[in-house]
Amino acid sequence: MDDELLRRLRTEQARALLYDADPHHAVMLGCDLLVAGVDGDAVVALAAESARTLPAHDANRRLGAVTAELGLPEPELPTAVALIAADTCERILDHSIPAEVGTHCLYVVGHEGSPLDDLLPTVAALAAHLEDDLGGRADDDLQTRLAALARTILNRLTAGNSA
């Protein structure tokens, strides 16, 4: 399994640990694992699910079976937070999630054990501005500020990995 596929698997595993795995991403991950030649029973079962109708709790269960089958331990909390934060930031920057969603997803920085907990006030201020001042619809300024925060988070995570 290549590094990118492992990163995706670990990120969904982290989401399942802290919140819920994204059912669509989990099923697509199962399919990509099969294509990469990882074809255990749990991987096949996950890939066979419907990306549109799989409930989150079933995605968590199926994903847990895949990681157990592959012998991947649960990530520690700081690692789980870092994986989710990095993935969210990448999605914010490539516009694969709306700014409104990304803003709220970044609350993960305040999770227990987070190496980024000092950024929680910045996330909370952006979310408050989004909801209170903008009525839940991001404007260009908020998108610019959110992108800057996403780059800051990615830079900090990258610097932390190279230390």
Side-chain angles (χ1 to χ4, degrees):
M1 166 178 355
D2 69 25
D3 289 345
E4 177 60 21
L5 197 52
L6 180 59
R7 183 195 62 79
R8 287 175 51 209
L9 178 57
R10 297 292 285 167
T11 299
E12 285 310 311
Q13 183 185 30
R15 276 198 182 91
L17 175 65
L18 296 183
Y19 307 113
D20 278 317
D22 179 298
H24 176 79
H25 290 169
V27 172
M28 293 299 103
L29 180 60
C31 294
D32 291 343
L33 286 166
L34 283 177
V35 169
V38 181
D39 60 357
D41 291 342
V43 174
V44 171
L46 177 60
E49 290 287 351
S50 168
R52 289 182 335 177
T53 61
L54 180 65
H57 70 277
D58 288 341
N60 292 343
R61 186 175 48 79
R62 293 272 188 218
L63 194 61
V66 168
T67 57
E69 184 172 79
L70 297 175
L72 294 175
E74 275 190 355
E76 295 185 13
L77 285 177
T79 301
V81 168
L83 286 165
I84 295 168
D87 184 67
T88 300
C89 289
E90 290 165 1
R91 291 177 189 210
I92 288 167
L93 293 172
D94 73 10
H95 305 286
S96 62
I97 59 173
E100 296 85 358
V101 172
T103 301
H104 292 291
C105 288
L106 284 181
Y107 270 111
V108 72
V109 303
H111 201 282
E112 178 184 339
S114 171
L116 304 162
D117 62 350
D118 61 304
L119 294 175
L120 182 58
T122 304
V123 172
L126 278 178
H129 177 58
L130 171 66
E131 297 304 328
D132 298 341
D133 302 330
L134 301 175
R137 299 188 62 116
D139 63 5
D140 290 342
D141 177 61
L142 185 123
Q143 289 179 13
T144 299
R145 291 168 54 198
L146 181 62
L149 177 59
R151 283 189 290 279
T152 296
I153 290 170
L154 287 172
N155 289 338
R156 290 237 333 244
L157 291 172
T158 301
N161 286 338
S162 64

